[in-house]
Amino acid sequence: MDLTELIRKAQEARARAYVPYSGFHVGAALLCKDGTIFSGCNIENSAYGPTNCAERTAIFKAVSEGYREFETIVIVSDSEQPTPPCGVCRQVMAEFCGPEFPVVMMGCDGSQRTASLGELLPYAFSLEK
């Protein structure tokens, strides 16, 4: 799988982040099994609870359009080090993806780390368990 297009889409989404409180821009690009790509950015809110992460934005956009089968996700942040998804995002991924689902995390300097969802969330809640 060539990640170039996903990385580009995640970087574009990161540039659209709405982050007036943290100043921390995150973008994500989600690849569906049929090749469709959904991107998302983090969107903050002054009440904090309604804030939505980039990963969930991309997943929710895909699900709202009828997609349920995903291949991989790329997450790009402002941090020099690759930033892993938060616990809420990991659980949302687990709702739609299996433990082998690859999560590619990139720092703004191009450093990259890949982990499976099972590594990131070994005891996810699911309907099967």
Side-chain angles (χ1 to χ4, degrees):
M1 159 186 37
D2 180 21
L3 294 176
T4 306
E5 179 70 5
L6 285 177
I7 293 167
R8 186 180 66 74
K9 295 271 190 187
Q11 290 170 331
E12 289 174 357
R14 180 184 64 189
R16 294 188 296 270
Y18 178 75
V19 292
Y21 306 101
S22 72
F24 188 69
H25 299 77
V26 182
L30 177 69
L31 178 64
C32 300
K33 293 237 184 215
D34 74 349
T36 303
I37 299 171
F38 287 91
S39 62
C41 62
N42 54 328
I43 304 165
E44 295 180 346
N45 185 278
S46 61
Y48 290 105
T51 294
N52 204 53
C53 297
E55 303 91 307
R56 282 183 282 142
T57 299
I59 292 168
F60 292 163
K61 285 170 62 176
V63 171
S64 72
E65 295 296 323
Y67 291 82
R68 302 286 192 281
E69 296 182 350
F70 307 120
E71 195 72 31
T72 192
I73 192 166
V74 171
I75 305 160
V76 179
S77 74
D78 284 347
S79 174
E80 289 183 16
Q81 297 298 314
T83 303
C86 74
V88 174
C89 288
R90 294 174 198 204
Q91 185 59 51
V92 168
M93 287 179 202
E95 186 71 23
F96 299 100
C97 308
E100 299 306 314
F101 179 73
V103 179
V104 180
M105 301 155 278
M106 294 194 63
C108 63
D109 66 354
S111 58
Q112 182 177 322
R113 182 180 307 145
T114 302
S116 71
L117 181 56
E119 291 172 310
L120 294 172
L121 188 64
Y123 301 105
F125 289 103
S126 77
L127 290 173
E128 287 84 41
K129 295 179 185 175

